[in-house]
Amino acid sequence: MTELPAAHVEHLLQPDVDALRPPFSTHKPRILILYGSLREVSYSRLLAQEAGRLLEHFGCEVRIYNPEGLPLPDAAPVSHPKVQELRSLSEWSEGQVWVSPERHGAMTGIMKAQIDWIPLAVGSVRPTQGKTLAVMEVSGGSQSFNAINQLRILGRWMRMITIPNQSSVAKAFQEFDTNGRMKPSPYYDRVVDVCEELVKFTLLTRDASAYLTDRYSERKEEAEKLEQRVNLKSI
């Protein structure tokens, strides 16, 4: 056996194939969709709604959060009704879709504010850890990936499983009809691809997410904290 003098070997666990293949849950995948605009004609909202219809077709239970009335981060207590609604939906979800317009080469402040209100930790629980994530953006000009690249960084920071596929809809004002429905196009096809992939990844990982996100460093840290508490009690 290879010597690992820097490691605490008692916390080095071999991969457990059975833990990676638990019995599949039978309830519908629970997907939360966030969008990043308050405009009366909001293409990020229209894209979010289009994604919601596709996800429901693929057998998901979908909730779309309306950010209107959500205060800026730290401008209100966490007891604010819109904050509580967002946090409750995030906790309920097994996967999420984030849809942002690109404004000044970046995601909107409305999009970022929603993500900032979702806590990294509640007690010892990370509310988004192990949940799946799909990222999409709309832009008024040529195709860009600035917003979705930023959303990917945030997803990683939130310890989410961000799927490989993504959607960037350029000149979004041309891609929706007068009823707010997305027209047939390669952009629409990519949205279908993203939704289909998100459902597959959610079904594949949701029951094993706790095992997938179990980390050596955290097992070691918890063991050290436990040892400290035991030693304090023995004084």
Side-chain angles (χ1 to χ4, degrees):
M1 181 179 291
T2 304
E3 291 187 4
L4 300 169
H8 289 229
V9 181
E10 67 273 21
H11 301 303
L12 288 176
L13 305 181
Q14 293 296 326
D16 183 346
V17 174
D18 291 333
L20 287 168
R21 298 171 180 170
F24 277 16
S25 296
T26 57
H27 66 272
K28 293 181 177 183
R30 300 192 294 263
I31 306 296
L32 169 64
I33 304 179
L34 307 180
Y35 61 90
S37 171
L38 297 178
R39 289 178 173 176
E40 184 176 352
V41 179
S42 166
Y43 295 107
S44 63
R45 184 180 70 246
L46 294 179
L47 182 56
Q49 291 169 344
E50 204 67 51
R53 296 183 189 101
L54 286 164
L55 290 165
E56 287 177 344
H57 175 81
F58 290 132
C60 296
E61 184 178 354
V62 177
R63 309 280 176 85
I64 300 177
Y65 177 75
N66 180 356
E68 186 171 1
L70 180 70
L72 289 173
D74 303 325
V78 296
S79 58
H80 189 284
K82 290 297 293 187
V83 176
Q84 286 297 303
E85 179 190 359
L86 175 59
R87 291 189 171 194
S88 177
L89 286 172
S90 181
E91 184 178 354
W92 164 86
S93 70
E94 296 169 325
Q96 297 186 16
V97 182
W98 295 351
V99 188
S100 180
E102 182 169 318
R103 186 173 297 168
H104 300 300
M107 78 179 78
T108 61
I110 294 164
M111 189 78 236
K112 183 63 161 57
Q114 292 174 81
I115 298 168
D116 284 347
W117 271 119
I118 300 172
L120 285 172
V122 177
S124 60
V125 178
R126 291 177 174 82
T128 52
Q129 178 167 278
K131 298 179 188 292
T132 52
L133 173 65
V135 293
M136 302 185 190
E137 75 165 83
V138 295
S139 58
S142 58
Q143 191 172 42
S144 174
F145 300 91
N146 291 334
I148 51 179
N149 287 339
Q150 293 172 332
L151 292 173
R152 281 190 177 277
I153 291 171
L154 287 170
R156 183 172 70 242
W157 192 257
M158 305 292 278
R159 294 187 174 181
M160 302 179 80
I161 302 169
T162 309
I163 67 171
N165 220 328
Q166 60 190 27
S167 170
S168 173
V169 180
K171 296 182 179 179
F173 60 91
Q174 297 179 350
E175 299 303 320
F176 294 85
D177 63 23
T178 55
N179 295 316
R181 297 303 304 271
M182 198 169 182
K183 302 173 185 177
S185 72
Y187 290 131
Y188 178 79
D189 294 346
R190 177 57 67 89
V191 174
V192 177
D193 289 346
V194 171
C195 292
E196 183 180 52
E197 188 171 289
L198 177 66
V199 176
K200 291 176 182 177
F201 270 77
T202 304
L203 289 170
L204 183 66
T205 62
R206 64 178 179 176
D207 296 304
S209 64
Y211 178 69
L212 288 168
T213 55
D214 180 42
R215 294 175 173 83
Y216 159 79
S217 60
E218 293 175 352
R219 292 193 298 270
K220 176 173 168 285
E221 182 182 2
E222 286 303 311
E224 290 171 349
K225 289 179 180 177
L226 176 61
E227 183 177 359
Q228 290 174 0
R229 289 198 298 270
V230 171
N231 289 339
L232 285 172
K233 290 178 181 178
S234 63
I235 293 176

